[in-house]
Amino acid sequence: MAHSVSAFQAAYISIEVLIALVSVPGNILVIWAVKMNQALRDATFCFIVSLAVADVAVGALVIPLAIIIDVGPQTEFYSCLMVACPVLILTESSILALLAIAVDRYLRVKIPVRYKSVVTPRRAAMAIACCWIVSFLVGLTPMFGWNNLNKMRRTQELNASHTQFVIKCQFETVISMEYMVYFNFFVWVLPPLVLMLLIYLEVFNLIRKQLNKKVSSNSNDPQKYYGKELKIAKSLALVLFLFALSWLPLHILNCITLFCPSCETPHILTYTAIFLTHGNSAMNPIVYAFRIKKFRTAFLQIWNQYFCCKTNKNAGTTAAELGN
């Protein structure tokens, strides 16, 4: 039987589709820029590509699955669980990519002379692979048994139902709030965010010390290096701040759901928190474009080479043909 969609759900779906239409092309552009621009080939930008891949997947995979969950189709328990897990994998991947970026920026200012010998392309690739492996393990934990299946089976037994175990597919129906709060948030979200905050504070402290030292010694090259590092660190810290701002409200609502079962969370708050988490995937390319000159240059190069100039060339060719 077809599931009717309310006006509120239609509005929700429209906003989600709009976020996806911004997120997917924007992050593909980030990946494209790193691929075509040699100046964007160091470890930091490799980690940014990993983050962009996760953000593309949010727009192309997670948002469609979130729409399915919001409609709430009738499905088998583990089928619903498979629909709910990708967002957990990609969230953790984003957090670990941000952590890798923070560590990389710390090493760049802590050991600038030895940095290239320590952070090699191979080690950066291994770090990215490890981030994704851990993300899959953390995000697929509910598939390994930490879910609401037993709780739902007990409910089914109490209702004396012997029909096939089919449920209305919704996130909180299959995902355990104990998993979301105690394991996902308290172990794999909050500690990395706090660690990244401490790392960036130390990065800014080291850069300012070096800038003060170099100013007094009138040495231009190191000052230029640390000045550039300060600008990039500020931009990447902004990416981290936006990530925390986008994801913490939803995790706080999860904590309220677990620790205060009688508390009713207004639907508008829940949907706003969901929009923030998905919208975060569309924010990063905008930050890169406005804050990091190398990305801005690469974006303009792509536009001129593949879009703007292509149109001009076609127009020029047409004019020449008409002239002949």
Side-chain angles (χ1 to χ4, degrees), residues 19-73:
I19 292 170
L21 290 175
V22 174
S23 176
V24 173
N27 285 287
I28 288 174
L29 189 61
V30 170
I31 299 166
W32 192 355
V34 174
K35 185 178 185 300
M36 71 172 290
N37 195 326
Q38 197 68 34
L40 295 173
R41 294 290 178 84
D42 64 16
T44 300
F45 296 107
C46 292
F47 296 131
I48 287 175
V49 165
S50 180
L51 181 60
V53 168
D55 287 338
V56 168
V58 168
L61 177 64
V62 169
I63 287 179
L65 293 179
I67 291 170
I68 291 171
I69 286 178
D70 185 69
V71 173

Side-chain angles (χ1 to χ4, degrees), residues 153-191:
R153 277 179 174 159
R154 286 195 296 270
T155 304
Q156 191 180 47
E157 287 169 5
L158 289 172
N159 293 335
S161 173
H162 299 287
T163 58
Q164 187 181 1
F165 196 58
V166 175
I167 61 166
K168 183 179 180 181
C169 185
Q170 293 182 322
F171 189 84
E172 290 184 20
T173 304
V174 293
I175 299 292
S176 164
M177 273 300 119
E178 285 82 2
Y179 160 81
M180 285 300 300
V181 174
Y182 292 127
F183 185 69
N184 190 282
F185 182 49
F186 287 166
V187 176
W188 291 104
V189 174
L190 195 57

